[in-house]
Amino acid sequence: MNTIIGLIIIAIGSMGQSSSYVPINKVKNWSWENFWLVQGVFAWLIFPVLGAFLANSLPELVQVYSANSGAALQSIGYGALWGIGGLTFGLSMRYLGIALGQSVALGTCAGFGTLIPAVLAGDNLFSPKGLVLLLAVVVTLVGIALVGYAGSLRSKNMSEEERRKAIKDFALKKGLLIALFAGVMSACFSLGLSAGIPIKEAAIAAGAKEIFAQNPVTLLVTIGGFFTNLVYCLYMNSKNKTSGEIRKTSKSVLVNNLLFCALAGLLWYSQFFGLGMGQSFFEPGSVMMAFSWSILMSLNVVFSNVWGIILKEWKGAGKKAVTFLVIGMAVLIFSLIIPNLF
């Protein structure tokens, strides 16, 4: 029963993340670098700080971080690397659309983000537990590959006009390369969470409830990612001469944009807030716990493709493409229960 509750919580957070790019479409008159940075302030600073305060008070957090400064710096460092993945992640959806862009990037992220922490932790991947984890990851990657294949069929079946209508800047080859790179770098978020395990344990010792104990670690990873994105966005401001764009925005547009950026940030953060809460219902050291990162990525792919259908990205893709999409999504859902079959 606890496993089901944990899965439901992670699914709710995943649904939020997969919906986070929809409010951005409502942002008006801002260049990419400005709305990306503003939504990042909410997603990577404001809401993670609030989440951390659910675990511990400010004095307790200072004490926890100070006592585990090495782990804190590692988490921030991995977060900075993840920030590079976050930047290119956004570009992957610009060139491939929400469905295919998230599928390729999250598939790569799922595999690396699950297996590398297990290897670094000294887990034997050829033990019975390790083999179950490998099987679950392989099934996840098969499901994502099927979704990706459906995306390639879609691009072949759609006319150039239809592609541009569904995805304004569609570019398959460029998008795939960017999505693969984004997936590898995005897996660093999982490494950051693993590096912060001593902080999570210290947060619990300081009085945090286990259901919120990962939030202080998540904050460190997102801080690292924020600085990476800040540097890049400021560079783009200088290059494109858009630094005064927000200041010149009318009050009504400014309020509109801030509200939708805040909503996007909240929805994005919900995936890691939900991941930490969901993991608290899994048995420590279990395959389910080790596989939880892939569970989140799998659900993100499923829900992102649901949005892709809603936003008509698959219109005109052809029956075969849609069939492979449905099969791929079914395989991803099946992968979630594999750790409980053995």
PDB file of all heavy atoms in Angstrom, residues 58-71:
ATOM      1  N   LEU A  58      15.137  28.056   9.598  1.00  0.00           N
ATOM      2  CA  LEU A  58      16.361  28.642   9.056  1.00  0.00           C
ATOM      3  C   LEU A  58      17.591  28.318   9.910  1.00  0.00           C
ATOM      4  O   LEU A  58      18.633  27.904   9.360  1.00  0.00           O
ATOM      5  CB  LEU A  58      16.195  30.166   8.912  1.00  0.00           C
ATOM      6  CG  LEU A  58      17.411  30.921   8.362  1.00  0.00           C
ATOM      7  CD1 LEU A  58      17.801  30.377   6.991  1.00  0.00           C
ATOM      8  CD2 LEU A  58      17.115  32.419   8.288  1.00  0.00           C
ATOM      9  N   PRO A  59      17.541  28.480  11.252  1.00  0.00           N
ATOM     10  CA  PRO A  59      18.725  28.132  12.066  1.00  0.00           C
ATOM     11  C   PRO A  59      19.103  26.651  11.919  1.00  0.00           C
ATOM     12  O   PRO A  59      20.292  26.320  11.869  1.00  0.00           O
ATOM     13  CB  PRO A  59      18.281  28.451  13.500  1.00  0.00           C
ATOM     14  CG  PRO A  59      17.200  29.480  13.329  1.00  0.00           C
ATOM     15  CD  PRO A  59      16.477  29.088  12.075  1.00  0.00           C
ATOM     16  N   GLU A  60      18.098  25.786  11.839  1.00  0.00           N
ATOM     17  CA  GLU A  60      18.375  24.356  11.682  1.00  0.00           C
ATOM     18  C   GLU A  60      19.024  24.073  10.332  1.00  0.00           C
ATOM     19  O   GLU A  60      19.964  23.266  10.228  1.00  0.00           O
ATOM     20  CB  GLU A  60      17.081  23.556  11.809  1.00  0.00           C
ATOM     21  CG  GLU A  60      16.518  23.521  13.224  1.00  0.00           C
ATOM     22  CD  GLU A  60      15.130  22.919  13.288  1.00  0.00           C
ATOM     23  OE1 GLU A  60      14.458  22.837  12.227  1.00  0.00           O
ATOM     24  OE2 GLU A  60      14.695  22.541  14.388  1.00  0.00           O
ATOM     25  N   LEU A  61      18.533  24.750   9.269  1.00  0.00           N
ATOM     26  CA  LEU A  61      19.107  24.547   7.939  1.00  0.00           C
ATOM     27  C   LEU A  61      20.565  25.007   7.904  1.00  0.00           C
ATOM     28  O   LEU A  61      21.419  24.330   7.318  1.00  0.00           O
ATOM     29  CB  LEU A  61      18.298  25.312   6.885  1.00  0.00           C
ATOM     30  CG  LEU A  61      16.936  24.727   6.514  1.00  0.00           C
ATOM     31  CD1 LEU A  61      16.193  25.666   5.583  1.00  0.00           C
ATOM     32  CD2 LEU A  61      17.107  23.351   5.853  1.00  0.00           C
ATOM     33  N   VAL A  62      20.838  26.155   8.515  1.00  0.00           N
ATOM     34  CA  VAL A  62      22.212  26.666   8.556  1.00  0.00           C
ATOM     35  C   VAL A  62      23.123  25.658   9.253  1.00  0.00           C
ATOM     36  O   VAL A  62      24.240  25.372   8.799  1.00  0.00           O
ATOM     37  CB  VAL A  62      22.262  28.026   9.266  1.00  0.00           C
ATOM     38  CG1 VAL A  62      23.711  28.448   9.501  1.00  0.00           C
ATOM     39  CG2 VAL A  62      21.536  29.076   8.442  1.00  0.00           C
ATOM     40  N   GLN A  63      22.639  25.091  10.337  1.00  0.00           N
ATOM     41  CA  GLN A  63      23.427  24.116  11.088  1.00  0.00           C
ATOM     42  C   GLN A  63      23.642  22.848  10.263  1.00  0.00           C
ATOM     43  O   GLN A  63      24.753  22.298  10.230  1.00  0.00           O
ATOM     44  CB  GLN A  63      22.721  23.776  12.398  1.00  0.00           C
ATOM     45  CG  GLN A  63      23.490  22.788  13.278  1.00  0.00           C
ATOM     46  CD  GLN A  63      22.762  22.463  14.576  1.00  0.00           C
ATOM     47  OE1 GLN A  63      21.664  22.973  14.812  1.00  0.00           O
ATOM     48  NE2 GLN A  63      23.357  21.637  15.406  1.00  0.00           N
ATOM     49  N   VAL A  64      22.590  22.389   9.601  1.00  0.00           N
ATOM     50  CA  VAL A  64      22.679  21.167   8.786  1.00  0.00           C
ATOM     51  C   VAL A  64      23.678  21.357   7.648  1.00  0.00           C
ATOM     52  O   VAL A  64      24.526  20.495   7.388  1.00  0.00           O
ATOM     53  CB  VAL A  64      21.293  20.791   8.231  1.00  0.00           C
ATOM     54  CG1 VAL A  64      21.409  19.743   7.124  1.00  0.00           C
ATOM     55  CG2 VAL A  64      20.403  20.259   9.350  1.00  0.00           C
ATOM     56  N   TYR A  65      23.585  22.498   6.962  1.00  0.00           N
ATOM     57  CA  TYR A  65      24.483  22.759   5.839  1.00  0.00           C
ATOM     58  C   TYR A  65      25.924  22.934   6.317  1.00  0.00           C
ATOM     59  O   TYR A  65      26.860  22.448   5.679  1.00  0.00           O
ATOM     60  CB  TYR A  65      24.035  24.014   5.078  1.00  0.00           C
ATOM     61  CG  TYR A  65      22.738  23.848   4.312  1.00  0.00           C
ATOM     62  CD1 TYR A  65      21.855  24.926   4.163  1.00  0.00           C
ATOM     63  CD2 TYR A  65      22.392  22.636   3.725  1.00  0.00           C
ATOM     64  CE1 TYR A  65      20.675  24.792   3.443  1.00  0.00           C
ATOM     65  CE2 TYR A  65      21.208  22.493   3.016  1.00  0.00           C
ATOM     66  CZ  TYR A  65      20.350  23.575   2.878  1.00  0.00           C
ATOM     67  OH  TYR A  65      19.186  23.431   2.167  1.00  0.00           O
ATOM     68  N   SER A  66      26.100  23.632   7.417  1.00  0.00           N
ATOM     69  CA  SER A  66      27.451  23.884   7.930  1.00  0.00           C
ATOM     70  C   SER A  66      28.141  22.586   8.349  1.00  0.00           C
ATOM     71  O   SER A  66      29.341  22.402   8.112  1.00  0.00           O
ATOM     72  CB  SER A  66      27.393  24.841   9.122  1.00  0.00           C
ATOM     73  OG  SER A  66      26.846  26.090   8.744  1.00  0.00           O
ATOM     74  N   ALA A  67      27.376  21.703   8.968  1.00  0.00           N
ATOM     75  CA  ALA A  67      27.946  20.440   9.443  1.00  0.00           C
ATOM     76  C   ALA A  67      28.237  19.474   8.301  1.00  0.00           C
ATOM     77  O   ALA A  67      28.971  18.493   8.496  1.00  0.00           O
ATOM     78  CB  ALA A  67      26.992  19.792  10.445  1.00  0.00           C
ATOM     79  N   ASN A  68      27.676  19.730   7.148  1.00  0.00           N
ATOM     80  CA  ASN A  68      27.878  18.848   5.993  1.00  0.00           C
ATOM     81  C   ASN A  68      28.272  19.676   4.769  1.00  0.00           C
ATOM     82  O   ASN A  68      27.720  19.518   3.675  1.00  0.00           O
ATOM     83  CB  ASN A  68      26.593  18.064   5.693  1.00  0.00           C
ATOM     84  CG  ASN A  68      26.160  17.173   6.829  1.00  0.00           C
ATOM     85  OD1 ASN A  68      26.618  16.037   6.957  1.00  0.00           O
ATOM     86  ND2 ASN A  68      25.280  17.693   7.679  1.00  0.00           N
ATOM     87  N   SER A  69      29.248  20.556   4.958  1.00  0.00           N
ATOM     88  CA  SER A  69      29.616  21.496   3.910  1.00  0.00           C
ATOM     89  C   SER A  69      30.148  20.800   2.656  1.00  0.00           C
ATOM     90  O   SER A  69      29.920  21.255   1.532  1.00  0.00           O
ATOM     91  CB  SER A  69      30.651  22.496   4.436  1.00  0.00           C
ATOM     92  OG  SER A  69      31.795  21.808   4.932  1.00  0.00           O
ATOM     93  N   GLY A  70      30.878  19.703   2.860  1.00  0.00           N
ATOM     94  CA  GLY A  70      31.403  18.970   1.709  1.00  0.00           C
ATOM     95  C   GLY A  70      30.296  18.428   0.835  1.00  0.00           C
ATOM     96  O   GLY A  70      30.317  18.575  -0.402  1.00  0.00           O
ATOM     97  N   ALA A  71      29.307  17.799   1.455  1.00  0.00           N
ATOM     98  CA  ALA A  71      28.171  17.264   0.712  1.00  0.00           C
ATOM     99  C   ALA A  71      27.368  18.387   0.068  1.00  0.00           C
ATOM    100  O   ALA A  71      26.874  18.251  -1.064  1.00  0.00           O
ATOM    101  CB  ALA A  71      27.274  16.446   1.645  1.00  0.00           C
TER     102      ALA A  71
END
